[in-house]
Amino acid sequence: MFERHQGGERAVLVRLGFGSQPAHDELSEFTALARSAGAQVLEVITGTRRKPDPRLYVGSGKAEEIGGRVEALKADVVLFDHALSPSQERNLEALFKCRVLDRTGLILDIFAQRARTFEGKLQVELAQLKHIATRLVRGWTHLERQKGGIGLRGPGETQLETDRRLLGVRIKTLNARLDKVITQRETTRRERKRGEVPTVALVGYTNAGKSTLFNRLTGATAYSADQLFATLDPTVRRVELPDARHALLADTVGFVRELPHELVAAFRSTLQEARESVLLLHVIDAADPNRAERIAQVNAVLEEVGAGDIPQIEVFNKADLVGEVPRTELDEHGAVRRVWLSAATGEGAALLIDAVAQFLGPEIVHRHLILDAAAGRARARFFAAGAVVSERSLPTGECDLEISMPRGAFEALCRNEGLDFPEEPQEACVHPDAFLQSPAPALKAG
């Protein structure tokens, strides 16, 4: 049994094509994944097969070729752009005398480096443990195996059972903690729905510029970099819309080709923001020569997580790199279908804001609300919704709030606070603690 290296920065990459040579974009993406994990790519080895080899995946001849290159280059790790079975991974490690990682293990390693929040770290650890749990069987072959019978029970089986039990306990603990976090997020979402604040989610292929666009639209400082999976944790911020309206913009984890199912399950709370949004802004790298395939892959993942039916606006980012002018494109019904912009320079960002406002497009209610001192909760709710344009105190002890907000949000808030909102602007809304009126009648002090 060889000792696993602790380093793992010097890497040989392996990608097979089944029936034909691997596509160039697949090799480029896998190389970018390896570099995002901090690996120094020494060589990329390709090949073709009709089907995977059950024992070594690549076949004995190709495995010997890879082993020779690993020894010559003194590589620390071999990265496969495929999903390997536990036995295949173990057989390759024994042959290469170095660590072997498949695509899922590589992405999990990147996620472990990028997670920043408590929730994100829990999700990554849970996904890693579920992945490791399938690879314990051959992890103790250097110890004596249990064969059965008196005097033949060795430490190997004992250690394996101990590891399985510890993993099971830790997975159970993580699931309980994540359930608590998810409950907290559900409470936040219910509050947003109660205030009728619409949520718009940014989705797209990894490294398409979602976080840069998020920072541009909201003024936030979310981490962004020119690398795959630069940010993982869900971030929600307020974005201002025309006519004193606003919405909540959610930045979600980027999608990737052959996204491991362990990650789809583990990051369910991140993807929940996409599922519960009223609109998806599908961010696309306009400079990517394979953008059509990327669009199809993102839509496939959206279908998988239950967000395939949510309306989309395609946002073609990095328009400046391909010489495109910032603009909007409409569909046959006159609605905005596509927006060309540059998140890095900000050109075209206003067009996207207008497109979101046009999609949400509720009627704006602009009225005066007069509340007495006992209606403090209603006053706080209007402030929390960002609907108060101005406020002044009256000599009677009441406060005059100038309200501007979407009609749906206005009516929902009135219902929640027991206010009988008027159907027409001229009618008054009478309540034991408050009343609404049109701005037409002048309010007099005293």
Side-chain angles (χ1 to χ4, degrees), residues 2-40:
F2 72 93
E3 294 295 329
R4 293 192 178 195
H5 296 287
Q6 298 299 316
E9 288 81 11
R10 295 168 56 83
V12 170
L13 276 53
V14 179
R15 170 75 187 181
L16 295 185
F18 295 96
S20 61
Q21 282 290 334
H24 176 72
D25 65 300
E26 295 175 348
L27 294 174
S28 299
E29 180 186 279
F30 188 54
T31 302
L33 277 174
R35 289 173 176 156
S36 293
Q40 177 188 353

Side-chain angles (χ1 to χ4, degrees), residues 79-98:
L79 304 177
F80 278 74
D81 192 18
H82 306 280
L84 301 177
S85 69
S87 62
Q88 289 170 340
E89 189 173 298
R90 196 67 195 169
N91 291 337
L92 290 168
E93 285 185 336
L95 179 63
F96 299 155
K97 301 295 188 296
C98 73

